[in-house]
Amino acid sequence: MYDSDLSDAEWKVLAPFFPVIDDEVSKPGRPREWSFRTILNAIFYLNKTGCQWRMLPSDFPPWSTVYDYYRHWRISGLWKTIHTALRREVRIKVGKNPEPTGACIDSQSVKTALSSPDSKGYDGGKKIEGRKRHIVVDTLGLLLVIWVHPASISDSLGGQILLVLLNKCCKTIKKVWADCGYRGYLEEWYYRCSPKRELEITKRPQGKFVVQAKRWVVERTFGWFVWARRLSKDYERLPRNSEACVYICMIRIMVRRLV
């Protein structure tokens, strides 16, 4: 019905992550009324267009049903599980190892709407009151780790927590690229905690704009977020919902690549 809907080929990529409805017929309880594909189409529509939950078109299931599935999959970690599996498949398709060895870190400050005061802050450098999306991507620009936090937290502190999460989930990383906002304390801490890994701070030439090698991929990833209007601002009350919206955006991108 809509451009954001999954095609038959795209649904075949995601279908293995969901149980077959026919297998649930024998189970006790109320039969499932809506297919997983229809629920996913509604969630992808909302993420693409940026509409409110209650403003979902009547072609989709009731908004409360769609939200319940979205929330359940976030709490159970299904969004992250799907994202990790698809990222490995995309890397294999382009001839790379399933697990990356290089990564790039950066943050994006965005304004918030209807968020609780304790989950937002003021970024003095970019003059933005809201939150930061702190991400680490591989050399293809695919998401490895994301942490959404108040914009008042500095890049050095946020980068420290993000690199700890990266060390836990991606043990194959050997080198990380970062911009000048991470120099100083983060460099000393990283070499002290991860002596076998390298953190390279790329420096921008004075007086002119130059595309920085290995650093531009993370900026392109932020550019991908623009096409999901739900990410134009941070409309979520909870930071973990913001992270789930980013995972959904990346899942949609990777499904298209695989097909």
Side-chain angles (χ1 to χ4, degrees):
M1 297 180 293
Y2 302 97
D3 292 339
S4 58
D5 288 353
L6 294 168
S7 65
D8 292 339
E10 291 171 342
W11 169 240
K12 288 181 180 179
V13 176
L14 294 176
F17 298 98
F18 301 92
V20 180
I21 295 182
D22 295 338
D23 297 340
E24 299 182 344
V25 175
S26 59
K27 294 182 179 181
R30 180 180 177 181
R32 192 181 302 279
E33 184 177 356
W34 303 98
S35 67
F36 291 115
R37 181 175 177 177
T38 304
I39 298 295
L40 284 173
N41 285 338
I43 294 174
F44 288 143
Y45 176 89
L46 181 138
N47 210 49
K48 179 70 174 180
T49 61
C51 72
Q52 297 173 335
W53 286 102
R54 290 174 173 81
M55 299 297 290
L56 279 173
S58 58
D59 305 299
F60 293 120
W63 75 268
S64 57
T65 301
V66 177
Y67 180 78
D68 284 344
Y69 276 98
Y70 157 82
R71 182 175 180 272
H72 172 69
W73 292 339
R74 174 184 63 77
I75 295 174
S76 65
L78 182 61
W79 292 122
K80 190 173 182 179
T81 300
I82 296 175
H83 176 273
T84 302
L86 295 183
R87 186 187 68 226
R88 291 170 179 165
E89 292 183 22
V90 172
R91 289 183 59 84
I92 293 173
K93 184 177 181 180
V94 299
K96 291 184 174 292
N97 294 326
E99 298 298 334
T101 57
C104 186
I105 182 175
D106 203 356
S107 66
Q108 178 189 46
S109 297
V110 292
K111 295 181 179 180
T112 55
L114 300 178
S115 60
S116 56
D118 58 344
S119 63
K120 67 178 181 179
Y122 183 74
D123 184 353
K126 298 180 181 178
K127 305 297 188 293
I128 291 178
E129 183 178 5
R131 293 174 179 159
K132 277 186 181 179
R133 297 177 185 140
H134 232 126
I135 66 173
V136 180
V137 301
D138 63 6
T139 53
L140 296 177
L142 303 178
L143 189 67
L144 298 177
V145 182
I146 180 172
W147 180 44
V148 176
H149 56 79
S152 56
I153 297 179
S154 65
D155 284 351
S156 295
L157 179 57
Q160 177 181 347
I161 297 175
L162 203 65
L163 291 177
V164 170
L165 299 176
L166 179 66
N167 292 341
K168 292 181 179 180
C169 69
C170 299
K171 299 184 181 301
T172 57
I173 298 294
K174 297 180 180 178
K175 187 171 184 177
V176 179
W177 288 273
D179 62 14
C180 295
Y182 297 92
R183 63 175 177 236
Y185 169 75
L186 183 63
E187 290 182 277
E188 300 175 1
W189 169 86
Y190 192 68
Y191 284 120
R192 185 171 63 254
C193 298
S194 305
K196 296 182 179 180
R197 298 179 181 180
E198 181 182 356
L199 177 64
E200 180 180 329
I201 305 296
T202 57
K203 298 180 180 180
R204 181 179 301 174
Q206 295 291 335
K208 61 179 180 179
F209 174 78
V210 177
V211 176
Q212 301 175 9
K214 305 295 184 181
R215 270 273 304 127
W216 63 273
V217 292
V218 68
E219 301 294 348
R220 183 183 61 179
T221 303
F222 285 135
W224 293 340
F225 294 171
V226 176
W227 297 103
R229 294 193 177 183
R230 189 77 180 183
L231 301 179
S232 62
K233 285 186 179 181
D234 195 326
Y235 293 100
E236 312 302 327
R237 291 187 181 273
L238 301 176
R240 52 183 176 270
N241 282 334
S242 303
E243 296 171 1
C245 289
V246 174
Y247 281 124
I248 293 170
C249 173
M250 294 302 299
I251 287 172
R252 198 66 185 88
I253 292 173
M254 291 188 290
V255 167
R256 287 199 181 100
R257 289 193 179 188
L258 290 172
V259 172

